[in-house]
Amino acid sequence: MNSFFNKVALFFIVAVLVISSIGLSPASAGTPFKDVSSSEEQILYLYEKGLIHGISATEFGMRHSVTREQAVTMIGRALGFDGTERSTKFTDVSSSRYSSGYIQSAVDQGIVSGYPDGSFKPQQPMTRGEMAYVLSKAFNLSKTSSVFFTDIQVNHDEKSLYSAINKIATAGITAGTGGGNYSPNKELIRKEFAIFLARALNSEFKVTFQNVTIDTLSSTTDNLNVRTGPSTNYNIIGQIHKGDIVEVYGYNNGWVYGKTGSLTGYFSLSFLAKNTPIPTRVMVIDAGHGEHDPGAAANGLVEKAVNLDVALRVEKLLKAKGITVLMTRRTDVFYSLDYRAAFGVKNGADAFVSIHSNSHGSTTVGGSETFYSASVANDSKQLATFIQNRLYKAMEHPNRGVKAENFRVLAANPLPAALVELGFLTNSSDAAKLATSTYKEKAAIAIADGIEEYYIWKERQ
Ligand SMILES: [Zn+2]
């Protein structure tokens, strides 16, 4: 055991030495700069190509700001511009300045234009925003993508700062300064500039821009447009619906830039709200029959009254579970089956359970059964099954199972729907149980627990 581990350890030590000496070899070529470590690959790369010089023989000046003439000179060298010192169009760049040739070449190429007063301000530090303009023009970058920085106003004008930054981000030259920011007014330092330039020149150094999710919101309305820009003047590229989630990359004057599913675009903030993590649970409980429609009647029981008694118990139990309950009736009134079937959708419910009691020509027939809507078959069957599997046990009588059935209140119902038959009023044993509050409460608990189980199942889908 020991010797095996010693061999393994020895192997790793040798491997590490070999690998590190390989890793060190480019650095041994190195730079004369004591402020550039061997891990600064981009700076080594530029130095080896003769594109950068130090601020002294032994110092690159990593943290020093980059002046406008330095930036243009480095880009000019990289792109092979004519650097011959010569007169320029700028009042403050004389023909004897080291940068004059590159500055004039950059003007000729349309990369820089200077200030309206005819000056170039060669020794003024360049900002990160200015650099985006210069690099996007110098490298003819035209491709844009879904890029958002929280500190950059979106503006799809070709000449805007946003467009310039979008182009360099899309080209893999910048990923921002962190936290979704670009920091356009920050002075560019030489280290940053060298990294940007290396990325522009060599795809090995490129970074992948990724939007940062800073918030999660959900749509409060149906058919909310997703647009290509932050106003209603922009094209519609899709729509989202109530409850759909938007991952927010940034806010922009009442608009949100973000992602929903595979769509990235702009959403009006007026129709988005903080996402509530718990999904809504809104159940319709329908006590079957009512008023002049008594339903079944036997053994001293009338169906409409048994149904309502159990339904009101279910309502109370569901509310205690935090489930919103919509009752089609809470008193002895009559509603048509079509009214009941449409009631849920009209009031924002997500499922429907109708409570009934059975009758049969033969008094020996007993037990519970639960029907489900064949039109929303999968969810309806699950709902019916979760209820039925608890109900017959709670009632301590036969399990007549779960069945698809086109009862009007189910077939006309666009929601997942189930119809529960508690037991047979025509069966003396079932009826004796349904006459007691003990069994009515047991049945109600079974139904409420089954409904809760359905929601838990549904929310995991
Ligand atoms: Zn009935």
Side-chain angles (χ1 to χ4, degrees):
M1 278 298 226
N2 261 340
S3 89
F4 170 75
F5 275 115
N6 285 339
K7 274 179 194 159
V8 171
L10 182 63
F11 170 77
F12 277 114
I13 289 163
V14 171
V16 166
L17 289 173
V18 171
I19 290 162
S20 20
S21 68
I22 292 167
L24 282 171
S25 61
S28 62
T31 70
F33 309 130
K34 55 184 192 310
D35 59 339
V36 176
S37 82
S38 58
S39 63
E40 308 282 354
E41 292 176 330
Q42 294 98 333
I43 294 169
L44 294 171
Y45 165 80
L46 295 173
Y47 180 77
E48 281 166 15
K49 292 189 76 112
L51 299 176
I52 55 170
H53 303 306
I55 55 166
S56 78
T58 56
E59 198 184 352
F60 177 66
M62 297 282 267
R63 310 241 131 243
H64 289 243
S65 56
V66 183
T67 64
R68 289 166 51 82
E69 66 180 338
Q70 286 170 344
V72 172
T73 299
M74 285 190 263
I75 286 174
R77 285 196 204 114
L79 295 179
F81 290 172
D82 177 7
T84 313
E85 289 171 20
R86 58 190 190 271
S87 61
T88 71
K89 64 172 275 193
F90 301 113
T91 51
D92 56 352
V93 183
S94 72
S95 59
S96 62
R97 248 197 120 68
Y98 81 92
S99 58
S100 61
Y102 289 117
I103 289 172
Q104 189 53 44
S105 292
V107 171
D108 296 341
Q109 302 279 335
I111 294 166
V112 295
S113 52
Y115 291 91
D117 66 357
S119 70
F120 182 72
K121 300 191 183 7
Q123 286 172 295
Q124 183 172 290
M126 182 170 269
T127 64
R128 289 172 51 87
E130 288 173 325
M131 188 213 56
Y133 280 117
V134 170
L135 284 182
S136 64
K137 287 181 194 160
F139 288 89
N140 287 318
L141 304 175
S142 57
K143 231 181 119 191
T144 56
S145 61
S146 300
V147 166
F148 192 95
F149 289 108
T150 54
D151 54 357
I152 304 293
Q153 179 81 31
V154 172
N155 179 349
H156 289 283
D157 188 299
E158 186 65 18
K159 290 185 181 132
S160 71
L161 176 64
Y162 171 78
S163 292
I165 294 169
N166 189 326
K167 286 170 189 169
I168 66 166
T170 302
I173 295 171
T174 184
T177 49
N181 294 313
Y182 178 77
S183 312
N185 300 320
K186 217 176 136 211
E187 283 180 12
L188 188 63
I189 59 170
R190 288 167 61 85
K191 178 185 177 175
E192 282 175 315
F193 183 77
I195 290 170
F196 285 134
L197 188 57
R199 287 174 185 161
L201 290 168
N202 187 332
S203 59
E204 271 181 47
F205 299 127
K206 286 197 193 308
V207 284
T208 305
F209 173 82
Q210 267 192 313
N211 283 303
V212 178
T213 301
I214 58 171
D215 243 332
T216 303
L217 301 179
S218 65
S219 177
T220 58
T221 184
D222 261 323
N223 307 320
L224 174 60
N225 291 326
V226 187
R227 295 179 182 273
T228 57
S231 91
T232 51
N233 297 328
Y234 287 95
N235 290 336
I236 297 168
I237 51 174
Q239 282 188 330
I240 61 169
H241 303 284
K242 195 169 179 171
D244 285 355
I245 303 295
V246 177
E247 284 175 44
V248 178
Y249 297 147
Y251 295 94
N252 193 311
N253 286 334
W255 288 78
V256 164
Y257 181 71
K259 182 172 183 262
T260 184
S262 60
L263 269 182
T264 301
Y266 291 83
F267 308 76
S268 172
L269 184 54
S270 314
F271 302 104
L272 295 174
K274 280 277 176 205
N275 182 38
T276 43
I278 298 163
T280 51
R281 300 172 170 188
V282 185
M283 176 61 66
V284 177
I285 297 297
D286 172 49
H289 310 279
E291 212 237 327
H292 65 264
D293 167 27
N299 288 309
L301 296 177
V302 179
E303 187 191 344
K304 65 175 185 177
V306 174
N307 299 347
L308 182 58
D309 188 327
V310 173
L312 290 170
R313 292 171 190 268
V314 172
E315 178 191 23
K316 202 173 162 192
L317 291 163
L318 288 178
K319 283 182 173 168
K321 293 175 187 292
I323 295 168
T324 305
V325 186
L326 303 176
M327 302 289 285
T328 54
R329 69 180 181 101
R330 306 185 79 259
T331 55
D332 185 21
V333 288
F334 174 81
Y335 291 110
S336 72
L337 295 174
D338 284 341
Y339 169 86
R340 295 172 199 243
F343 176 84
V345 156
K346 227 166 45 189
N347 293 289
D350 46 40
F352 176 99
V353 170
S354 188
I355 296 172
H356 286 254
S357 308
N358 237 332
S359 67
H360 200 281
S362 163
T363 56
T364 58
V365 175
S368 321
E369 58 195 0
T370 304
F371 299 94
Y372 63 90
S373 158
S375 58
V376 198
N378 190 42
D379 286 0
S380 299
K381 189 177 182 179
Q382 289 292 341
L383 176 61
T385 305
F386 287 133
I387 293 170
Q388 176 64 19
N389 284 348
R390 290 170 180 274
L391 180 62
Y392 78 89
K393 287 175 195 157
M395 292 297 294
E396 298 163 44
H397 63 195
N399 176 14
R400 294 172 55 88
V402 164
K403 300 157 188 173
E405 186 65 63
N406 283 327
F407 290 137
R408 184 81 190 153
V409 78
L410 297 180
N413 206 317
L415 297 175
L419 188 149
V420 177
E421 294 283 3
L422 299 167
F424 286 79
L425 301 186
T426 44
N427 177 283
S428 58
S429 166
D430 286 11
K433 288 174 188 166
L434 286 171
T436 68
S437 51
T438 306
Y439 276 93
K440 280 187 278 203
E441 185 67 15
K442 282 186 181 191
I445 291 169
I447 293 167
D449 286 352
I451 287 170
E452 185 181 38
E453 201 178 349
Y454 164 78
Y455 278 122
I456 293 167
W457 168 81
K458 181 70 187 161
E459 286 152 14
R460 284 204 192 112
Q461 299 300 295

